[in-house]
Amino acid sequence: MGWVFPTWARTHALDTGEAVNFLKGAIVTADRIVTGYSWEITTSEGGCSLHELLSSRKSVLNGITNGIDVTEWDPSCDKHIACNYSADDLSGKAECKISLQEELGLPVRLDCPLVSLLSARQNSCSLRSLFLLLTIAKSCRLDSLGDWTTERH
């Protein structure tokens, strides 16, 4: 028999260590683990049977914070949007909405909410269901960009 994972690197008592799981080996030997889903992968739902091992490696597990760089993506000074606006002055926001609807090829409707979603594939199914319900219930527009496809509804 070839190499066997040491007992301390196995996730449970029934794991004999005889099957080679390269991802598990990488997790065990990594000096640092960086992901966008650091909390999710330590749960039984998101860890794909590696959650216990990942939880035991929390000291080297780092997450990339979801969100934006608020200085780079500040709508009050962003040169890439149709019109600037801020929390104190929202007057340019309607023009941005019109510009975005035109860019997406949607009919311009200020009375209809526009929801835009950018998500990774693994999270998008439940979010898409939620936004689909919002679309039906509120007659809003949905723009969805994923890392594998682009869909507009």
Side-chain angles (χ1 to χ4, degrees), residues 10 18 22 24 28 42-43 48 56 64 66 75-76 79 82-83 88 96 100-102 110 114-115 130 139 149 151-152:
R10 300 179 193 168
E18 295 174 5
F22 291 106
K24 183 177 178 180
V28 168
T42 60
T43 66
C48 299
S56 74
I64 299 170
N66 289 331
S76 67
K79 293 177 177 63
C83 192
D88 297 326
C96 287
L100 181 58
Q101 289 179 65
E102 288 172 347
L110 291 177
L114 175 63
V115 178
L130 172 65
S139 297
T149 186
E151 294 179 17
R152 293 190 173 96

Side-chain angles (χ1 to χ4, degrees), residues 43-112:
T43 66
S44 58
E45 295 82 18
C48 299
S49 299
L50 295 172
H51 60 282
E52 291 177 5
L53 175 60
L54 286 159
S55 292
S56 74
R57 304 288 335 264
K58 279 188 178 178
S59 63
V60 296
L61 179 60
N62 298 103
I64 299 170
T65 305
N66 289 331
I68 60 170
D69 179 335
V70 293
T71 55
E72 183 175 345
W73 295 92
D74 181 355
S76 67
C77 58
D78 192 334
K79 293 177 177 63
H80 303 289
I81 59 176
C83 192
N84 296 114
Y85 61 92
S86 69
D88 297 326
D89 179 14
L90 296 173
S91 60
K93 197 167 182 179
E95 184 155 339
C96 287
K97 181 177 178 179
I98 291 169
S99 174
L100 181 58
Q101 289 179 65
E102 288 172 347
E103 185 178 330
L104 296 174
L106 296 170
V108 174
R109 288 186 55 193
L110 291 177
D111 64 321
C112 179

Side-chain angles (χ1 to χ4, degrees), residues 117-119 121 124 128 144-152:
L117 167 68
L118 174 61
S119 73
R121 184 175 186 176
S124 67
R128 283 173 184 241
S144 173
L145 253 70
D147 59 1
W148 75 103
T149 186
T150 301
E151 294 179 17
R152 293 190 173 96

